[in-house]
Amino acid sequence: MVHTYIKALHDLLFPPQCLCCEQRLDTSRPPLICPSCRDNLRFISSPLCITCGMPFPGGEDHLCGSCLRNHYLFDYARSALFYQSPVSNLLLALKFSNATSAVPTLKKIAEQSGMLAHFAVPDIIIPVPLHIGRLRERGFNQALVLARHCFPQWRTLTHASLLVRTKATSPQSSLSGQQRRQNLKGCFQLSRSGLLTGKKILLVDDVFTTGSTINECSRVLRREKPKRIEVFTVARSLQL
């Protein structure tokens, strides 16, 4: 009861705002998105590729062309939302403006998508790592923050330093699909071996664009012969 009064007083003195357009909100409980911005959320749902989760415009769930050609080295991937405003704004603010206040909202809308319930209980959760230089610059790894918040029930299973990024690369956003794959070759490695054999791995990142980053991580993980590699990203871009 006391907590409720304190929260109400806080909202009165410091009115909550939409994280995207700054419109005033009635409550500070996440998601901090106004109705107008909420209408622009596009959740991903069937029909989609049964392996990589790429959404289709119609029909039933089936394998996409890339998965028919065994393009990906993971077993299963799902994303909660399309990478467009307002989700793209929140993720960009998190990565480049240290807007960690957006994380509870991102968690809430990921929960609302229903995709978080699609994952089997993993043995190990691995966030896609940042290079040490970028980590020092940013102060945190957004993939690790999202993994801990989106899967709090499995928090103790998260291994933040098992997969490391050994090479500083050019920003992926400025590169084509082929350039992305070339850019990432040899830039990930395991800090320890022998921990993943026969294990179910959940790999977590913020955005799935071409899948190059996730695939290169999976290539390294596959050397340890895990039982299964599943992937979760908050958003998925269709701009290939």
Side-chain angles (χ1 to χ4, degrees):
M1 183 67 73
V2 173
H3 176 74
T4 302
Y5 284 129
I6 292 175
K7 187 172 182 59
L9 179 61
H10 181 275
D11 289 354
L12 181 63
L13 296 175
F14 306 98
Q17 296 179 323
C18 174
L19 294 177
C20 300
C21 70
E22 299 185 349
Q23 178 178 321
R24 183 167 176 173
L25 302 175
D26 294 331
T27 176
S28 60
R29 287 191 296 271
L32 297 181
I33 301 179
C34 70
S36 177
C37 290
R38 191 180 300 122
D39 287 342
N40 290 323
L41 293 173
R42 285 187 63 200
F43 294 100
I44 294 177
S45 60
S46 292
L48 40 74
C49 175
I50 58 178
T51 295
C52 77
M54 183 180 76
F56 300 127
E60 299 179 350
D61 291 358
H62 60 275
L63 286 172
C64 69
S66 291
C67 291
L68 282 170
R69 296 190 299 272
N70 294 316
H71 176 72
Y72 295 120
L73 296 170
F74 50 78
D75 297 290
Y76 179 88
R78 291 293 182 270
S79 304
L81 301 108
F82 286 91
Y83 185 69
Q84 64 179 43
S85 179
V87 170
S88 56
N89 299 341
L90 295 174
L91 288 170
L92 288 171
L94 172 62
K95 290 171 68 171
F96 301 114
S97 300
N98 296 330
T100 53
S101 59
V103 174
T105 291
L106 287 166
K107 171 196 174 180
K108 193 65 178 179
I109 58 180
E111 288 177 342
Q112 291 173 350
S113 75
M115 282 298 181
L116 297 183
H118 285 227
F119 294 93
V121 179
D123 295 303
I124 295 175
I125 297 178
I126 298 178
V128 171
L130 294 177
H131 183 263
I132 186 64
R134 189 160 296 169
L135 181 60
R136 287 171 177 162
E137 177 184 331
R138 190 170 296 170
F140 64 94
N141 178 0
Q142 74 277 356
L144 173 59
V145 172
L146 290 168
R148 287 175 171 169
H149 281 77
C150 290
F151 301 100
Q153 73 277 29
W154 300 331
R155 193 181 184 96
T156 59
L157 305 179
T158 304
H159 290 247
S161 59
L162 185 56
L163 185 65
V164 295
R165 195 166 192 150
T166 58
K167 183 173 70 174
T169 56
S170 303
Q172 291 285 91
S173 58
S174 63
L175 305 176
S176 67
Q178 184 175 359
Q179 289 172 329
R180 285 168 183 254
R181 291 188 288 273
Q182 189 64 36
N183 189 45
L184 291 166
K185 279 190 176 180
C187 77
F188 297 106
Q189 69 179 35
L190 289 167
S191 60
R192 287 177 290 170
S193 61
L195 296 180
L196 302 180
T197 304
K199 302 295 186 182
K200 291 179 291 184
I201 300 169
L202 176 57
L203 196 58
V204 177
D205 205 3
D206 53 350
V207 182
F208 186 121
T209 304
T210 64
S212 298
T213 300
I214 291 295
N215 214 38
E216 191 61 28
C217 289
S218 298
R219 186 187 310 279
V220 174
L221 299 176
R222 281 286 175 209
R223 297 170 188 162
E224 295 287 298
K225 295 181 172 53
K227 180 178 181 180
R228 185 171 174 83
I229 300 175
E230 297 191 348
V231 176
F232 171 73
T233 61
V234 171
R236 177 156 185 155
S237 171
L238 297 183
Q239 299 176 1
L240 305 182

